[in-house]
Amino acid sequence: MEIKKKCRYGEKFPHLFSPIRIGNIRMKNRIICAPTSPSMIDLNGHFTPEMIAYLEEKAKGGAGVVTYGEAIVHSATGKSHNKQLQLDAFGVRQGMTEAARAIHNAGAYANIQLSHGGMYGGLASVGGDVDTCKVAYGPSHMQMPAGEVQEMPRELIYEIIESYKKAAKLCKETGFDMVQVHAAHGWLFSQFLSPVWNRRTDEFGGSFENRARFFLLALDAVREGVGPHFPIEARISGDDFSEIGLNLEDCTRLAKMIDGRVDLINVSCGNHEDPAMFCRTHPSAFFPRGVNVYLAAEIKRHVKTPVACVGSLNDPAQMEEILASGQADVVELGRASLADPYLPDKAAYGCEEDITPCLRCYECFGATGELEMVKCAVNPVMGEQLADRFAKSAPKQRKKVLVAGGGPAGMEAALSGA
């Protein structure tokens, strides 16, 4: 997409478009495309060309970093969705290398989220309608509505820790520039951190320090796998907003424990598997833009590590204010980068009025489950980036076209007709 530049790069939003060093990389701006993981993965757990084209377009739009979400480190126990990138799958390297190269060639750094579904590796989660693993392993034995959960043996805990190390090393070897360790949204580490779900009596249960031990050992293993200067991002909650999880005080305490262990702390919230919390983790249109930013701002007061905020951000002016006022060091955009992947460059060159805003309608989430692809109510190219590369043939004869209706569909029909 060609953008008609109205000012010098970053002139209108100097904080948003100032560089920042995270580990051994220098981001050209403060915008990260947050981890998203549409189901455009094949049955072997590999990237598809459609998935790579989707990530590539985000990079073309001007973000400093593009992140792929929920790559599974231990497939035998950790798959929470029907189709996910499996970092221990045979032959996964080729697609990962192609994805990293595509992101680089389009002008961004490549990031990848390391994840494990915990108990949802064996229970049907909101991301899947099949039990993906033979046994559901969680911090403690319990009976969930979707089935029985077994207490994860200590031997398996240490095996999974080693899998984080191997997965991180693989990501670095295939060209990714960062890794993100996921410890929020009700997945593995979030489950172990829970004072309700975790009723263990060994070194991984009881005190807050013990409940955090699994996560901290995994972070140390990742560091060992990638080396001293390679950027590690940690995604944690600022508040689980749930009786089974952590509150802001607890999450601040966790942030202090990883301060200096990682290079960027990404503060999200809620629990992906709790329907009541889904619309807070991914704020709906009934919440104000940036409703979760205050969580990152509070945690930032207590750590020296740079902090990223996330959650329903769409307006560059609001992002500029967040950074200028010191509430966060980096902003992460999820659905906004689907509605308009070119949001960063449009803001950078003074064309923010041309940004197509995310409606927060959840069309993208619905398509991931229903179609095993991604769609967007306001971006007809989303999910069709690969096909869109090929030029359309010119019409053989001119026609007069009447478009009845002036809604989004009518407008798009008029544009296509023209």
Side-chain angles (χ1 to χ4, degrees):
M1 174 180 287
E2 184 177 350
I3 296 172
K4 297 179 181 179
K5 302 176 183 179
K6 297 182 179 180
C7 66
R8 296 192 306 273
Y9 184 87
E11 184 178 358
K12 289 193 71 172
F13 307 110
H15 292 86
L16 187 58
F17 292 98
S18 63
I20 182 172
R21 183 164 291 280
I22 304 293
N24 63 3
I25 69 171
R26 183 178 184 270
M27 290 173 54
K28 62 186 178 184
N29 56 46
R30 304 298 180 101
I31 300 173
I32 293 179
C33 286
T36 53
S37 47
S39 298
M40 296 180 287
I41 301 294
D42 71 19
L43 295 178
N44 294 311
H46 299 171
F47 277 128
T48 61
E50 289 82 5
M51 187 77 242
I52 294 170
Y54 160 86
L55 296 170
E56 180 184 33
E57 189 182 34
K58 289 188 176 188
K60 287 179 179 178
V65 173
V66 173
T67 311
Y68 176 77
E70 292 182 359
I72 302 301
V73 302
H74 194 268
S75 301
T77 60
K79 276 187 66 186
S80 55
H81 295 48
N82 292 353
K83 294 196 303 179
Q84 290 182 288
L85 184 69
Q86 297 167 229
L87 298 177
D88 54 358
F90 177 75
V92 75
R93 286 176 177 265
Q94 178 182 340
M96 292 178 65
T97 303
E98 291 174 355
R101 287 177 177 175
I103 293 170
H104 292 159
N105 291 340
Y109 286 113
N111 190 12
I112 189 166
Q113 183 184 69
L114 311 180
S115 189
H116 186 292
M119 70 176 76
Y120 295 107
L123 303 177
S125 81
V126 298
D129 57 4
V130 295
D131 295 346
T132 52
C133 303
K134 293 181 180 179
V135 181
Y137 287 110
S140 305
H141 180 267
M142 66 186 88
Q143 191 67 38
M144 297 290 284
E148 187 176 15
V149 178
Q150 301 297 330
E151 180 171 298
M152 185 177 286
R154 292 179 70 256
E155 296 78 10
L156 181 54
I157 288 176
Y158 284 102
E159 180 180 322
I160 291 173
I161 290 170
E162 182 66 17
S163 75
Y164 271 90
K165 174 183 173 180
K166 291 178 180 177
K169 185 172 182 289
L170 168 69
C171 294
K172 181 179 180 181
E173 288 173 351
T174 53
F176 282 83
D177 307 285
M178 294 176 65
V179 292
Q180 182 194 100
V181 181
H182 198 351
H185 300 175
W187 302 131
L188 177 65
F189 297 129
S190 181
Q191 294 164 23
F192 268 77
L193 286 163
S194 166
V196 175
W197 279 344
N198 188 342
R199 301 189 296 271
R200 301 175 73 98
T201 57
D202 61 7
E203 70 268 35
F204 296 102
S207 68
F208 189 90
E209 288 76 12
N210 281 0
R211 287 183 279 121
R213 189 183 306 276
F214 194 178
F215 177 40
L216 299 182
L217 288 175
L219 285 178
D220 291 343
V222 168
R223 176 58 70 197
E224 186 178 349
V226 298
H229 305 298
F230 190 86
I232 299 175
E233 180 183 11
R235 168 166 270 192
I236 66 171
S237 284
D239 195 327
D240 286 330
F241 297 114
S242 170
E243 293 179 357
I244 65 171
L246 308 182
N247 58 29
L248 178 54
E249 183 180 352
D250 297 324
C251 294
T252 301
R253 185 177 179 186
L254 180 64
K256 291 179 180 179
M257 295 171 76
I258 65 173
D259 193 19
R261 253 190 174 102
V262 298
D263 303 286
L264 182 65
I265 299 174
N266 176 336
V267 181
S268 185
C269 72
N271 186 323
H272 191 278
E273 294 300 300
D274 181 348
M277 281 294 101
F278 185 91
C279 292
R280 181 61 188 264
T281 303
H282 315 282
S284 73
F286 296 99
F287 287 103
R289 298 280 186 181
V291 64
N292 298 328
V293 172
Y294 78 97
L295 299 169
E298 176 59 24
I299 285 176
K300 180 170 166 54
R301 293 179 54 246
H302 299 276
V303 298
K304 296 180 181 178
T305 303
V307 170
C309 64
V310 67
S312 187
L313 298 171
N314 207 110
D315 180 8
Q318 182 184 25
M319 300 176 207
E320 176 73 10
E321 171 57 27
I322 289 168
L323 299 174
S325 61
Q327 296 177 74
D329 302 288
V330 173
V331 295
E332 303 216 7
L333 311 181
R335 289 167 291 168
S337 67
L338 275 65
D340 195 337
Y342 297 89
L343 183 158
D345 271 354
K346 287 180 180 179
Y349 292 110
C351 303
E352 65 275 11
E353 70 277 4
D354 293 332
I355 292 170
T356 303
C358 168
L359 303 180
R360 301 186 287 180
C361 66
Y362 300 122
E363 179 75 11
C364 48
F365 283 104
T368 296
E370 183 181 5
L371 307 176
E372 295 185 349
M373 290 188 67
V374 65
K375 284 175 62 182
C376 178
V378 296
N379 182 356
V381 178
M382 184 49 57
E384 300 187 42
Q385 284 88 346
L386 194 61
D388 193 59
R389 289 178 178 175
F390 303 103
K392 309 297 187 295
S393 58
K396 295 181 180 179
Q397 64 182 63
R398 294 180 64 85
K399 295 181 179 180
K400 291 184 178 181
V401 178
L402 171 65
V403 178
M411 293 295 99
E412 188 61 33
L415 288 168
S416 300

